[in-house]
């Protein structure tokens, strides 16, 4: 029997969620399971597991699962004094399940430090480092819930740097790969502490889903086995089975409507045929990602909110934090065949907090991986000096099975001028303002990149690389982790939402996605985003049942 709900656009549903990714999918499941009527509007199409393909051209060139810069252009500048120019700087999921469909599946908890780093380290010149209004202990039960409900493979206690946890992982680690063996060999020589990577991929059959088959097309691709713990494979089917949740794809929201009392009444969106539609709702939850969420708020202007919805303090879109990483490559004597299986199998957290004696504030995690695929390796080149034609090109193709690289994931400091705004000139295919990104890395972030790249080269040497090289850090090539642009806080003058994810300005508007984050951790944010979503669902349910929304 089909239990999928179908609501009329005139129905005042209890909750309308914008976005079906890491946070939106979790919120849909939790709220519909708690008895509420839920409509989820997703920009992209719905692609079921059996429809995913190992199509490099479709994924990388045609943006099969992500935003298409030809339809939704972005502009970029480093400072507000510059004129922004076209640059495809943002990458995010545009499909039911959002970025959880194609992400790497690194599934790290933030550490206790991440929530109180301002208190520990003080003010940082040129940045606005703040403590969270919640602590690690507040979020720990929801980290555990995320791991068990979604299905995460790992080994509790394997790292001496892990924060406290109330339960082990539900599944054992995925099989170790060649890059993991080499990571262990090199890291232990250097006195570091490698450990099995916690991954949102199931290593054993779990909750009716099949374990990972090691097909090799993992990061950037959808999982045809349902082994990747995306919201599409996990919580969205449960939400739909309640009979109270409708997932509505191909719906591009461009305005959140409010009444004269300043309360949200619904949204206006373009359907697949670019026809304008309205969906009524008692409450709206924005889970559109750290770029689309502030964009939608800024577009939702009214007499009551002339500078954009929930933006009376002018903070919406500010304090954007991107993912930042140093990368170094190596080629080894024997074939590694590391393109097979999940991307990462071992990581190091010895540098999660780097001693300030090195001249900067920050920290990083480090993994080893090889997420190139045959065509992209040949066309893009792995090493900076890899020839693109002739006999030397053919010779270098032989490096494909013998290659791996190291990648560090860094703390990005929140800077007020790093922001999402609306481009005053450029429009997208629907006639809406393009996203304008203003971004420049804080000097401490750049220093941490250079520091960690030295560690990467040490690791490759200790692991026995025949040749190795640093990949130049290109400041702001693109970013997939879009954080902090509607941050959480107790002070309504300095933040957009409170610790319940409720807008300071609008009592029935909630925001829960990467934009909610106060700090970036070490830039593996997905588990924290999903733990926040489970917690937000509890808080929102409590408020609704008390009649306070």
């Amino acid at each position: 029997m089909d239990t999928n709900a179908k609501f009329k656009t005139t129905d005042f549903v209890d909750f309308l969620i914008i976005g079906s990714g890491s946070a939106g999918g979790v919120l849909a499941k939790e709220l519909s399971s708690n008895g509420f009527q839920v409509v989820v509007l997703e920009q992209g199409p719905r692609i079921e597991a059996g429809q995913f393909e190992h199509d490099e051209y479709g994924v990388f060139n045609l943006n099969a699962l992500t935003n298409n810069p030809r339809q939704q252009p972005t502009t970029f500048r480093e400072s507000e004094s510059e004129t922004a120019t076209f640059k495809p700087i943002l990458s995010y999921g545009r499909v039911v399940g959002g970025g959880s469909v194609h992400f790497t599946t690194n599934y790290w908890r933030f550490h206790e430090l991440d929530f109180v780093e301002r208190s520990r380290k003080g003010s940082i010149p040129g940045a606005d480092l703040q403590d969270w209004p919640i602590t690690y202990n507040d979020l720990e039960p929801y980290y555990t819930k995320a791991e068990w409900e979604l299905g995460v493979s790992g080994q509790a206690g394997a790292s001496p740097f892990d924060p406290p946890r109330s339960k082990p992982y539900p599944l054992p680690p995925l099989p170790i790969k060649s890059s993991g063996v080499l990571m262990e060999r090199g890291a232990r020589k250097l006195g570091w502490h490698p450990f099995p990577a916690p991954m949102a991929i199931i290593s054993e059959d779990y909750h009716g889903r099949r374990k990972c088959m090691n097909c090799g097309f993992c990061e950037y691709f959808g999982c045809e086995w349902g082994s990747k713990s995306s919201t599409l494979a996990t919580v969205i089917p449960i939400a739909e089975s309640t009979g109270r949740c409708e997932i509505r794809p191909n719906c591009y929201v461009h305005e959140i409507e409010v009444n004269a009392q300043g309360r949200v009444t619904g949204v206006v969106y373009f359907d697949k045929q670019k026809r304008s539609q309205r969906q009524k709702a008692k409450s709206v939850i924005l889970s559109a990602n750290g770029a689309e969420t502030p964009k939608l708020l800024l577009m939702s202007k009214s007499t009551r909110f002339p500078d954009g919805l929930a933006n009376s303090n002018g903070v919406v879109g500010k304090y954007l934090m991107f993912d930042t990483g140093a990368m170094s490559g190596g080629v080894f004597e024997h074939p590694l065949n590391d393109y097979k299986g999940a991307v990462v199998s071992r990581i190091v957290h010895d540098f999660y907090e780097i001693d300030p004696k090195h001249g900067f504030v920050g920290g990083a995690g480090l993994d080893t991986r090889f997420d190139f695929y045959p065509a992209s390796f040949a066309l893009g080149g792995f090493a900076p000096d890899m020839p693109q034609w002739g006999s030397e090109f053919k010779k270098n193709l032989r490096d494909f099975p013998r290659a791996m690289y190291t990648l560090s994931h860094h703390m990005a400091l929140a800077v007020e001028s790093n922001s999402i705004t609306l481009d005053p000139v450029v429009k997208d295919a629907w006639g809406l303002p393009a996203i304008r990104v203003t971004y420049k890395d804080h000097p401490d972030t750049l220093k941490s990149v250079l520091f960690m790249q030295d560690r990467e080269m040490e690791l490759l040497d200790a692991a026995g690389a025949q040749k190795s090289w640093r990949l130049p850090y290109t400041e702001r090539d693109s970013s997939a982790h879009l954080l902090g642009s509607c941050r959480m806080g107790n002070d309504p003058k300095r933040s957009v939402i409170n610790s319940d994810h409720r807008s300071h300005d609008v009592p029935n508007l909630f925001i829960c996605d990467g934009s909610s984050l106060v700090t970036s951790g070490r830039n593996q944010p997905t588990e924290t985003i999903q733990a926040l979503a489970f917690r937000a669902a509890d808080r929102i349910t409590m408020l609704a049942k008390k009649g306070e929304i």
Side-chain angles (χ1 to χ4, degrees):
M1 182 178 68
D2 183 10
T3 57
N4 292 354
K6 297 291 182 185
F7 295 102
K8 298 176 182 178
T9 56
T10 52
D11 291 338
F12 268 95
V13 296
D14 295 314
F15 292 100
L16 188 147
I17 301 172
I18 303 170
S20 62
S22 296
V26 166
L27 285 156
K29 177 260 181 184
E30 290 292 286
L31 293 173
S32 60
S33 297
N34 289 342
F36 299 107
Q37 295 177 326
V38 178
V39 168
V40 181
L41 300 181
E42 166 58 48
Q43 276 193 34
R46 183 160 188 159
I47 305 174
E48 300 296 349
Q51 297 173 297
F52 291 124
E53 297 179 326
H54 299 172
D55 178 3
E56 290 186 64
Y57 186 79
V59 164
F60 296 120
N61 297 85
L62 301 181
N63 305 96
L65 305 177
T66 54
N67 56 304
N68 186 334
R70 294 173 292 279
Q71 292 181 312
Q72 293 173 291
T74 53
T75 62
F76 175 77
R77 59 186 183 175
E78 288 193 348
S79 69
E80 295 175 357
S81 63
E82 299 175 13
T83 299
T85 57
F86 171 75
K87 186 175 184 178
I89 189 77
L90 305 174
S91 177
Y92 50 85
R94 198 173 187 274
V95 65
V96 172
S100 71
V101 168
H102 69 268
F103 79 136
T104 314
T105 74
N106 267 337
Y107 213 70
W108 306 355
R109 294 184 177 201
F110 278 17
H111 291 195
E112 293 163 293
L113 166 71
D114 292 310
F115 296 88
V116 293
E117 206 146 10
R118 169 60 186 263
S119 293
R120 298 274 186 90
K121 297 179 178 176
S123 176
I124 310 299
D128 190 26
L129 180 64
Q130 295 293 327
D131 289 342
W132 289 59
I134 61 174
T135 66
Y136 174 83
N137 288 337
D138 293 326
L139 205 54
E140 196 285 330
Y142 298 101
Y143 278 130
T144 298
K145 186 171 185 176
E147 290 164 0
W148 282 78
E149 293 212 8
L150 299 169
V152 175
S153 302
Q155 183 179 338
S159 168
F161 307 103
D162 265 356
R165 57 169 48 245
S166 54
K167 289 178 72 173
Y169 290 101
L171 294 157
L174 291 159
I176 192 169
K177 298 173 59 174
S178 299
S179 60
V181 173
L182 293 170
M183 157 75 94
E184 290 196 350
R185 176 191 298 174
R188 287 186 175 138
K189 281 184 180 179
L190 296 167
W192 305 347
H193 302 80
F195 64 98
M199 301 289 281
I201 298 175
I202 53 176
S203 58
E204 298 176 349
D205 292 354
Y206 191 69
H207 292 178
R209 294 161 49 212
R210 289 182 289 178
K211 69 178 181 180
C212 176
M213 302 298 177
N214 296 303
C215 71
F217 284 80
C218 191
E219 186 182 13
Y220 309 114
F221 293 85
C223 180
E224 66 265 42
W225 306 103
S227 309
K228 187 181 288 190
S229 298
S230 66
T231 57
L232 176 69
T234 57
V235 288
I236 285 175
I238 298 173
E240 292 179 314
S241 72
T242 66
R244 291 182 290 271
C245 178
E246 178 186 355
I247 307 293
R248 200 177 293 171
N250 299 302
C251 296
Y252 186 15
V253 181
H254 59 91
E255 184 182 358
I256 301 173
E257 295 188 308
V258 294
N259 61 19
Q261 289 72 45
R263 294 181 61 86
V264 169
T265 58
V267 305
V268 186
Y269 65 94
F270 291 117
D271 64 17
K272 189 175 183 179
Q273 288 74 38
K274 294 189 177 180
R275 298 172 302 197
S276 187
Q277 307 282 358
R278 277 182 170 80
Q279 175 62 56
K280 300 293 186 181
K282 298 175 185 176
S283 298
V284 169
I285 303 175
L286 253 174
S287 297
N289 73 53
E292 290 280 356
T293 286
K295 175 192 176 183
L296 182 52
L297 293 172
L298 293 172
M299 287 197 300
S300 299
K301 296 180 180 181
S302 64
T303 303
R304 190 176 181 93
F305 298 102
D307 297 317
L309 189 61
N311 194 34
S312 64
N313 57 12
V315 173
V316 167
K318 294 183 177 180
Y319 305 109
L320 177 67
M321 296 174 287
F322 275 172
D323 53 339
T324 302
M327 184 174 170
S328 302
V331 174
F332 291 78
E333 178 182 3
H334 299 292
L336 310 182
N337 296 322
D338 217 63
Y339 55 89
K340 296 181 179 179
V343 172
V344 179
S345 64
R346 290 297 183 273
I347 58 178
V348 159
H349 276 180
D350 291 68
F351 305 100
Y352 202 93
E353 184 174 12
I354 299 172
D355 193 320
K357 71 180 182 182
H358 293 290
F360 59 88
V361 171
L366 178 67
D367 67 44
T368 50
R369 57 170 69 194
F370 188 73
D371 53 7
F372 282 88
Y373 300 94
S376 55
F377 179 86
L379 295 173
F382 181 48
D385 59 350
M386 180 172 171
Q388 295 295 294
W389 190 255
S391 60
E392 285 299 309
F393 169 70
K394 292 181 181 179
K395 180 181 177 182
N396 276 275
L397 289 181
R398 298 190 185 102
D399 289 343
F400 180 71
R402 299 189 298 121
M404 74 171 198
Y405 67 88
T406 59
L407 181 63
S408 54
H409 310 272
H410 294 250
M411 174 189 181
L413 286 166
V415 176
E416 184 176 8
S417 58
N418 289 343
S419 65
I420 297 290
T421 53
L422 304 179
D423 194 284
V425 177
V426 181
K427 307 293 182 184
D428 67 15
W430 292 261
L432 302 175
I435 293 174
R436 180 176 61 185
V437 178
T438 305
Y439 202 94
K440 187 172 180 60
D441 284 315
H442 189 277
D444 278 28
T445 302
L446 298 177
K447 290 177 183 177
S448 74
V449 167
L450 296 175
F451 175 87
M452 286 305 298
Q453 199 157 49
D454 287 342
R455 310 288 80 73
E456 292 173 357
M457 294 298 287
E458 291 173 0
L459 177 63
L460 289 166
D461 181 62
Q466 286 190 317
K467 61 179 180 179
S468 58
W469 57 88
R470 304 165 188 262
L471 276 79
Y473 175 66
T474 305
E475 192 172 355
R476 292 309 109 232
D477 181 18
S478 67
S479 183
H481 301 164
L482 312 172
L483 311 175
S485 50
C486 293
R487 65 180 178 177
M488 177 191 293
N490 291 325
D491 185 353
K493 295 180 180 179
R494 300 173 64 104
S495 57
V496 179
I497 55 174
N498 66 15
S499 59
D500 291 336
H501 291 264
R502 188 180 204 163
S503 160
H504 291 303
D505 286 352
V506 185
N508 62 339
L509 173 67
F510 297 84
I511 300 169
C512 185
D513 56 21
S515 71
S516 309
L517 273 61
V518 182
T519 58
S520 69
R522 273 51 183 166
N523 247 307
Q524 289 299 319
T526 305
E527 181 169 12
T528 296
I529 291 169
Q530 296 197 287
L532 288 170
F534 277 111
R535 181 179 178 276
D538 274 1
R539 307 299 294 175
I540 292 168
T541 296
M542 178 194 69
L543 292 169
K545 290 187 174 180
K546 290 169 65 176
E548 294 183 7
I549 297 179

